[in-house]
Amino acid sequence: MTKQIHLAAHFPGVNNTTVWSDPASGSQIDFDSFRHLAQTAERGKFDFFFLAEGLRLREAKGRIHDLDVVGRPESLTVLSALAAVTTHLGLAATVNSTFNEPYEVARRLATLDHLSGGRAAWNVVTSFDAFTGENFRRGGFLAEADRYTRAKEFLQTARELWDSWAADAVAADARSGRFLRPGGVTPFRHQGRHFDISGLFNVPRGPQGHPVIIQAGDSDEGREFAASSADVIFSRHSKLEEGRAFYRDVKRRLAAYGRRPEDLKILPAVTYVLGDTEAEAAERAVEIRRAQVSPQTALYFLEAVWGRDLSGYDPDGPLPDVEPNLDEGVTKGHAAFRRDRGELVAKWRALAEEKNLSIRELAIEVSTPQTFIGTPRTVADEIDHFVQSDAADGFIFVPHLTPGGLDDLVDKVVPLLQEKGVFRADYTGPTLRDHLGLAPRTPNRIEETS
């Protein structure tokens, strides 16, 4: 059976993917940039528009790391504004479960679901590091091993709050003078390891019942959390065989929670480069990668792993001969290289020796390359093959330019996917759950979830 492809758009700006110095790049702050990218995604009939979140600015050698875009607006505020200038596109916010509280987050997400007519989604993320925690006067308060136990309880508590309102709780009966149906709103009471709260939730049940839940963890614990609780996984496995292995592993876990394979969509983050010919696309891809990994960025990559100031090394020269400092680091807020740095150094040295790579060439080699490169027809065929091969259910596209980075994809590739019959010609329902083929969440009574 031919699968239908799901597509989503990620607003860039969180790392060196964004080439902010390109003359075609626009503002990362102005609302017009968010509106352009979101409306482009909606014109392409994408499922949803995704915003990441960072709770502290990254630092390098005691200074703000400003080789990448620095600073961005709060996600739920931006998405609430976008709800007014879009009609069908899902609106996904990343909200941290470590440095927030369930009542506040549940209230804001339920509000977005109402404002958008049922298009809200929540990317549940965790954090454990004291560096981020300092912004909240909670430095180091949560052990890394507890980050998913808190996240699970956080989500469970939010669901209890949403379920405390019946779908038909609001009667607004002028004749009786009663606004609520008797029993339509029930008190909540949650007592757990991380949260002990009780009271009455003050936002009516949203059009979707619950917002769509997205999860991005790749550890075994993260995969299990997604299998038990998520509707979408934001995956990093954008290579075919890796994608197939991840897809099989996560989908097989669903049965243990009484769920079907179609109840969880797996969407890797991907990029693309188009050209009129394969050669032109390949040449453009090389140019973009060199723009994304500048000489300074290449040194930053290695400093994050070596744990040393490497500013005295030539980015176009060989890898540092100095041994890494595994006890300390010179970068803060960059989680990509925080584990197994000694093994990573050995691996990179072997790769650089095998291919005779300079520091910058190695950084380009090991950082995520473009996923789909070619003519529009080639890219459409590869997207379709990836999904039909059960390596994904679709993709979250991360363009390298803001705000016009999706224009070519929507104008040149999406029509070919529609021509193949593997992507919708139009939306068939008003909510994000409709787009993803997910059933609305029906209320679980509070007595059952205590």
Side-chain angles (χ1 to χ4, degrees), residues 9-15 17-18 28-29 34 37 48-56 58 69 71-79 82 91-96 100 108 121-126 214 216 234 269 396-399:
H10 184 299
F11 188 88
V14 66
N15 51 40
T17 299
T18 303
Q28 299 284 323
I29 300 294
F34 293 97
L37 195 66
F48 61 88
F49 176 85
F50 180 96
L51 288 179
E53 177 184 68
L55 296 180
R56 180 160 180 171
R58 287 179 289 167
V69 172
R72 51 192 163 180
E74 191 274 326
S75 297
L76 281 166
T77 306
V78 173
L79 295 177
L82 288 176
L91 303 168
T94 300
V95 183
N96 193 294
N100 285 289
R108 293 165 68 199
W122 172 20
N123 179 36
V124 184
V125 298
T126 66
I214 304 172
F234 185 3
I396 299 176
F397 276 89
V398 187

Side-chain angles (χ1 to χ4, degrees), residues 51-227:
L51 288 179
E53 177 184 68
L55 296 180
R56 180 160 180 171
L57 299 181
R58 287 179 289 167
E59 295 180 11
K61 293 176 284 191
R63 300 187 299 273
I64 293 173
H65 175 65
D66 63 353
L67 298 178
D68 304 337
V69 172
V70 178
R72 51 192 163 180
E74 191 274 326
S75 297
L76 281 166
T77 306
V78 173
L79 295 177
S80 295
L82 288 176
V85 296
T86 55
T87 58
H88 287 78
L89 184 69
L91 303 168
T94 300
V95 183
N96 193 294
S97 62
T98 304
F99 300 114
N100 285 289
E101 296 298 324
Y103 190 96
E104 178 188 15
V105 172
R107 186 168 178 262
R108 293 165 68 199
L109 285 163
T111 299
L112 178 61
D113 208 42
H114 280 289
L115 290 177
S116 64
R119 297 185 279 139
W122 172 20
N123 179 36
V124 184
V125 298
T126 66
S127 181
F128 71 91
D129 62 297
F131 177 70
T132 300
E134 289 171 357
N135 276 359
F136 298 86
R137 298 179 181 239
R138 297 177 182 175
F141 91 104
L142 185 67
E144 183 172 7
D146 291 334
R147 60 182 182 145
Y148 277 114
T149 61
R150 179 182 168 96
K152 290 174 186 175
E153 189 178 339
F154 195 116
L155 178 56
Q156 176 193 350
T157 307
R159 291 195 190 280
E160 292 171 12
L161 297 174
W162 293 323
D163 285 343
S164 67
W165 281 71
D168 60 351
V170 177
D173 186 348
R175 288 194 300 174
S176 69
R178 300 189 69 91
F179 193 79
L180 296 176
R181 299 184 189 280
V185 181
T186 54
F188 64 84
R189 178 71 172 126
H190 180 93
Q191 289 179 295
R193 176 183 173 189
H194 296 279
F195 306 106
D196 185 353
I197 61 174
S198 61
L200 291 164
F201 191 53
N202 69 343
V203 181
R205 189 174 184 83
Q208 296 185 107
H210 296 182
V212 166
I213 302 300
I214 304 172
Q215 204 273 332
D218 190 50
S219 66
D220 186 74
E221 195 173 12
R223 296 181 189 200
E224 204 66 30
F225 179 37

Side-chain angles (χ1 to χ4, degrees), residues 217-245:
D218 190 50
S219 66
D220 186 74
E221 195 173 12
R223 296 181 189 200
E224 204 66 30
F225 179 37
S228 69
S229 306
D231 301 305
V232 174
I233 292 184
F234 185 3
S235 159
R236 63 180 179 84
H237 298 285
S238 58
K239 294 183 179 179
L240 187 63
E241 291 308 316
E242 290 178 3
R244 282 174 170 160

Side-chain angles (χ1 to χ4, degrees), residues 260-306:
R260 305 167 300 167
E262 58 268 31
D263 292 336
L264 176 64
K265 309 302 181 189
I266 297 178
L267 308 180
V270 295
T271 57
Y272 79 100
V273 180
L274 297 182
D276 292 335
T277 65
E278 303 296 328
E280 179 185 324
E283 184 177 342
R284 286 196 63 211
V286 170
E287 292 173 357
I288 292 169
R289 292 303 291 140
R290 290 187 65 80
Q292 290 171 325
V293 184
S294 67
Q296 300 97 317
T297 296
L299 285 175
Y300 170 76
F301 263 61
L302 263 67
E303 288 175 339
V305 177
W306 256 257

